[in-house]
Amino acid sequence: MPHRRQFLTTAATALSGASVFGVAPATAASVPCVSTRDHFDENGTLTPENTARSYDTTSDVPVVDTDCVSDLTVFVHGWDKSGSDPEQRALDKITTADTELTENGYDGAVVGYTWDSDKGDGLDFGWDVAQGIAQRNGRKLAQFALDVKRSCPETTLRFVSHSLGAQVAFSALRTLNDRSAWGSLDTTIQTVHPLGAATDNDVPTKETGRATYDAIKAQTGSVYNYHNAADDVLQWAYGTIEFDDALGETGVESDDTPPANYTDRDVESQVGDDHSNYLNTVADDVLGDM
């Protein structure tokens, strides 16, 4: 067993889904993005020039910057503490999401959601700070969803997330469930697709995660959780940091109750042990569930 700090260093790199598996970097992204980069400082505190609900865009995001679209998927990336230029690596993942969904037959618009996944430091390499920032980004993603539906009520809206991005998406659902303005629009997030979710496996359950359970039930058409018992990053990296099982490894905790519109999808045979491999292997499953 390596020294704990060395072990956590490897865990931090692995959970980012970056070069630990030798994946070559993608080209620079050209996908429209919602961004909350630098809205939080290294301690996870909201910076003075930003608000709890504010977000930026690349000025070409469908609906909020341009015209309505019939179908819009927001992709939320995960944690990244693996080295220099984390924002570019996040944009690369967003490009991959757009490419894989489009090549597998998705004819809607893909928008990236990029956030401060690299902030924080210390013995846990900023994991607690990153989780806090992910949770607080839920309000910002929820505000974007509200802005989309107010401008274009007929737009079908979907969330796809990878790794820690699941905490952003679930937090957004909880926020929407608490917002009376959302209910007045008479709509939901049509589908939600967490890939290798780095969040506890009891989060969507009636027994433990009642707020998320209620939000999934009330604010989504369907949630499809793609889990993989062979994902060794979630097996040992998430377990080392959180001392718990990840939703993306096991699916919902045994004997607990998820909402009726929640489904676990076992994708071990496609993904294998590579935490960064979900987008490249299960986009067709995601399309099938859409």
Side-chain angles (χ1 to χ4, degrees):
M1 171 75 72
H3 187 278
R4 178 172 172 78
R5 183 170 177 84
Q6 177 187 347
F7 195 77
L8 285 172
T9 302
T10 308
T13 303
L15 264 174
S16 74
S19 59
V20 66
F21 294 107
V23 178
T27 57
S30 58
V31 180
C33 283
V34 173
S35 176
T36 62
R37 287 278 171 180
D38 296 323
H39 283 213
F40 296 88
D41 64 20
E42 289 295 331
N43 297 315
T45 302
L46 191 68
T47 54
E49 62 271 25
N50 294 290
T51 70
R53 299 175 185 169
S54 65
Y55 60 84
D56 307 311
T57 76
T58 49
S59 300
D60 56 353
V61 172
V63 181
V64 297
D65 293 324
T66 62
D67 296 333
C68 294
V69 294
S70 61
D71 207 284
L72 180 63
T73 293
V74 182
F75 173 73
V76 188
H77 64 78
W79 191 39
D80 197 334
K81 294 293 290 185
S82 58
S84 62
D85 207 355
E87 183 173 7
Q88 183 58 56
R89 285 193 301 278
L91 295 177
D92 292 343
K93 293 170 189 174
I94 289 165
T95 297
T96 299
D98 178 50
T99 299
E100 292 295 332
L101 289 171
T102 301
E103 289 184 351
N104 279 277
Y106 181 60
D107 59 2
V110 176
V111 168
Y113 187 95
T114 180
W115 56 285
D116 289 316
S117 61
D118 60 312
K119 296 296 174 71
D121 206 346
L123 289 176
D124 69 348
F125 291 85
W127 173 251
D128 281 345
V129 169
Q131 284 197 102
I133 292 173
Q135 294 289 330
R136 296 181 72 181
N137 263 273
R139 296 185 72 181
K140 294 172 178 287
L141 177 56
Q143 186 62 55
F144 173 72
L146 282 166
D147 292 343
V148 167
K149 300 306 294 191
R150 284 178 178 138
S151 296
C152 300
E154 299 304 314
T155 294
T156 298
L157 189 56
R158 310 176 191 274
F159 294 161
V160 178
S161 63
H162 178 243
S163 197
L164 187 56
Q167 295 200 29
V168 178
F170 285 141
S171 176
L173 295 180
R174 292 191 295 272
T175 300
L176 293 172
N177 205 36
D178 289 338
R179 292 283 295 274
S180 59
W182 178 255
S184 69
L185 292 172
D186 190 27
T187 189
T188 62
I189 306 298
Q190 185 65 28
T191 57
V192 181
H193 308 264
L195 311 173
T199 192
D200 288 356
N201 63 356
D202 57 6
V203 163
T205 68
K206 181 163 58 176
E207 290 77 8
T208 304
R210 190 57 191 251
T212 305
Y213 173 96
D214 289 341
I216 290 172
K217 185 176 179 180
Q219 300 298 338
T220 74
S222 300
V223 172
Y224 299 95
N225 175 57
Y226 306 87
H227 66 95
N228 171 21
D231 186 329
D232 56 2
V233 170
L234 293 179
Q235 285 174 357
W236 53 261
Y238 186 86
T240 297
I241 298 173
E242 284 295 316
F243 301 100
D244 205 343
D245 294 324
L247 185 67
E249 177 194 351
T250 66
V252 165
E253 186 165 328
S254 178
D255 298 326
D256 281 2
T257 310
N261 60 337
Y262 171 98
T263 301
D264 276 327
R265 297 279 197 237
D266 186 343
V267 294
E268 178 179 351
S269 63
Q270 296 103 297
V271 178
D273 64 0
D274 188 341
H275 186 65
S276 66
N277 200 32
Y278 287 86
L279 286 169
N280 301 104
T281 58
V282 302
D284 55 340
D285 296 81
V286 172
L287 262 293
D289 287 332
M290 286 183 177

